[in-house]
Amino acid sequence: MKTKFIAFFLLVFLTFGFSNCVTPKKSGPAKQETIALKDIYKDYFPIGNILTGRYLMGDYVDILTTHFNIVTSENDMKPDSLASRLKPGEYNFGSADRLVDEALDYGMAVHGHTLVWFKQTPAWMTTGTPAQVRTNMVNYINAVLAHYKGRVLSWDVVNEAFNENINPGNQDLSWRTQLREDSPWFKALGADHIELAFRTARAADPDVVLYYNDYNLDNQRKAQVTANMIKEINDKYKAEGNKRNLIEVVGMQAHYGTATNASNVRASIEKFRDIGVKIAISELDVEMKSVGSGSFGAGRNSFTTDVEQRIQAITYAQLFNVFKEYKDHITHVIMWGIDDEFSWKSRGNPCLWDGELKPKQAFWAVVDPNKTLRL
Ligand code: G3I
């Protein structure tokens, strides 16, 4: 009983007491800071954020260009943005081009997101006979990679092909049986659509680095299934005499929460490293409360307590210490949003800046993870 009381007292002191007196009392838009995340991480990995029209204006663009050196578009480079929703063979590159060119002008690298996904894809692409759908996929990948040749460094070729979760009771870790069967690509072409997409992308532009991207990859079963798929496809490709991997990087989306265990993230990074691929932390955010995927409505960009801020900061610090440790295997770390107000998970306040663009404790945790963990 007594031990429990002391532990409780210590926890309250560590979270309330220390954070109140030691947390840097910085405020105001980060452009006033002399600190830049991209400089802090220059010997580790490029660090990035999402590209949207909003983030190229006002105070946002200062934050974006001060702190980040790589971007990926949040929505504008998805198939339902780049391809006409109604007319096969017609493309709308206009708004994505403006974003990409502006990012390049600012000296940021651009990672493409995403070519083959079960969402945000015009229906015509996945409708018709298997031969027609196959042709649609090949034409789309060829057109997009040709259009962005020399401008886009790397692409998420396939996004979220696997089921959301692979339950503990499910012992079947063979990857073909864990694919989303409701994906229109899967329905039309089966499991082989993944290899087709990667082979098409490699042939379309060998200079581009090819990624498989998914979420919940801190779940060891899902990570194992994903590694099994990548290894099988890469082994087959190399057996044909190719020196390079076909799937070169696995993007761990990293939509995390304060309950995320950094040891699981580490174990997954090691699993992917051990099959010879690199890892990207591709869509990082850490929500404070479990709010599901609902982004808007009551509680959006809500008030958070100092304790909540502190716990979130600790999670960010633990994660960045893992990322730093595995820097030789990590291609980039990209965050999914600058501020809590316009995050897709706004109600969970998952970003480094709050709705008024003030850097949060989470920001300082990324600046100096060990300092946050010592506080
Ligand atoms: O484009 C329409 C627009 O025409 C309409 O007026 C407006 C009204 O609501 O909606 C617009 O579409 C929205 C779109 O974002 C563009 O703003 C959709 O409703 C909305 O659902 C969509 O959400 C995006 C979501 O992907 C869709 O799947 C989020 O912004 C985006 O952050 C999110 O990103 C995904 C990654 O691509 C993959 N990994 C998970 C991540 C988070 O869900």
Side-chain angles (χ1 to χ4, degrees):
M1 189 63 200
K2 195 174 163 193
T3 325
K4 273 188 186 161
F5 177 77
I6 293 171
F8 175 72
F9 176 78
L10 264 176
L11 180 72
V12 170
F13 179 71
L14 282 172
T15 46
F16 268 111
F18 261 13
S19 59
N20 277 339
C21 54
V22 188
T23 303
K25 297 284 188 264
K26 302 263 183 185
S27 63
K31 67 179 174 181
Q32 293 166 4
E33 311 297 343
T34 51
I35 278 172
L37 296 180
K38 68 184 179 196
D39 295 337
I40 292 171
Y41 283 91
K42 72 177 184 335
D43 295 331
Y44 292 91
F45 34 70
I47 186 161
N49 215 300
I50 47 177
L51 186 61
T52 69
R54 178 186 308 281
Y55 287 171
L56 287 170
M57 295 186 296
D59 286 338
Y60 286 113
V61 74
D62 289 320
I63 294 180
L64 191 68
T65 56
T66 299
H67 292 287
F68 302 106
N69 48 17
I70 184 165
V71 283
T72 194
S73 109
E74 182 178 25
N75 286 301
D76 295 87
M77 295 174 86
K78 291 172 178 172
D80 70 349
S81 293
L82 295 185
S84 162
R85 293 188 191 189
L86 298 174
K87 291 194 180 164
E90 275 192 15
Y91 298 91
N92 310 307
F93 290 119
S95 64
D97 279 357
R98 281 190 289 280
L99 297 180
V100 168
D101 291 341
E102 212 169 326
L104 293 172
D105 285 347
Y106 280 121
M108 296 185 284
V110 178
H111 171 79
H113 174 76
T114 178
L115 296 168
V116 172
W117 192 19
F118 70 94
K119 273 191 193 167
Q120 287 179 281
T121 299
W124 63 261
M125 255 193 215
T126 53
T127 305
T129 62
Q132 183 60 54
V133 175
R134 195 184 159 91
T135 302
N136 291 343
M137 181 198 280
V138 170
N139 288 347
Y140 178 72
I141 293 175
N142 284 341
V144 173
L145 265 62
H147 186 81
Y148 286 107
K149 185 161 181 57
R151 290 191 286 166
V152 173
L153 187 69
S154 46
W155 273 94
D156 293 331
V157 178
V158 177
N159 194 42
E160 300 172 4
F162 288 111
N163 289 321
E164 180 148 334
N165 285 306
I166 294 161
N167 297 325
N170 191 336
Q171 297 305 317
D172 181 6
L173 298 181
S174 60
W175 67 270
R176 285 167 195 275
T177 57
Q178 298 294 350
L179 293 167
R180 287 175 188 270
E181 292 187 357
D182 56 351
S183 155
W185 291 112
F186 180 91
K187 282 185 185 160
L189 301 175
D192 291 341
H193 78 276
I194 297 173
E195 191 177 330
L196 171 66
F198 279 95
R199 283 184 184 266
T200 306
R202 172 60 46 78
D205 186 352
D207 294 334
V208 158
V209 184
L210 307 181
Y211 287 50
Y212 174 76
N213 195 48
D214 213 328
Y215 61 97
N216 286 349
L217 289 181
D218 55 326
N219 172 313
Q220 295 309 295
R221 286 175 303 280
K222 186 157 178 178
Q224 189 59 55
V225 164
T226 305
N228 292 345
M229 185 244 328
I230 293 173
K231 185 169 184 320
E232 184 183 312
I233 291 177
N234 282 344
D235 285 352
K236 182 176 166 199
Y237 186 70
K238 284 188 162 167
E240 294 165 12
N242 295 298
K243 296 269 175 285
R244 207 170 146 190
N245 280 328
L246 181 58
I247 304 176
E248 297 173 289
V249 185
V250 56
M252 296 177 65
Q253 289 188 7
H255 292 296
Y256 294 146
T258 47
T260 296
N261 185 337
S263 315
N264 290 332
V265 175
R266 172 198 299 277
S268 296
I269 289 174
E270 290 186 352
K271 215 182 278 297
F272 296 127
R273 175 200 62 189
D274 292 348
I275 59 157
V277 293
K278 298 261 186 195
I279 298 101
I281 305 302
S282 57
E283 305 185 10
L284 178 63
D285 51 16
V286 177
E287 65 176 327
M288 288 186 192
K289 299 163 191 155
S290 187
V291 292
S293 59
S295 318
F296 303 110
R300 180 178 185 214
N301 182 33
S302 57
F303 171 79
T304 51
T305 64
D306 198 51
V307 177
E308 288 172 321
Q309 295 265 349
R310 170 102 182 104
I311 291 169
Q312 182 186 48
I314 289 171
T315 311
Y316 267 109
Q318 290 168 336
L319 289 168
F320 269 84
N321 269 348
V322 172
F323 304 157
K324 287 167 88 169
E325 191 181 333
Y326 292 89
K327 70 180 174 63
D328 293 341
H329 305 281
I330 290 182
T331 56
H332 60 234
V333 173
I334 292 183
M335 314 215 172
W336 208 249
I338 289 178
D339 66 311
D340 287 341
E341 184 164 7
F342 291 103
S343 156
W344 76 295
K345 271 198 172 170
S346 184
R347 282 195 285 157
N349 296 291
C351 297
L352 302 190
W353 286 267
D354 69 14
E356 282 156 9
L357 294 185
K358 291 196 180 104
K360 295 159 57 182
Q361 292 187 40
F363 171 85
W364 297 104
V366 177
V367 168
D368 188 346
N370 285 330
K371 186 171 175 190
T372 289
L373 294 174
R374 275 196 308 269
L375 291 178

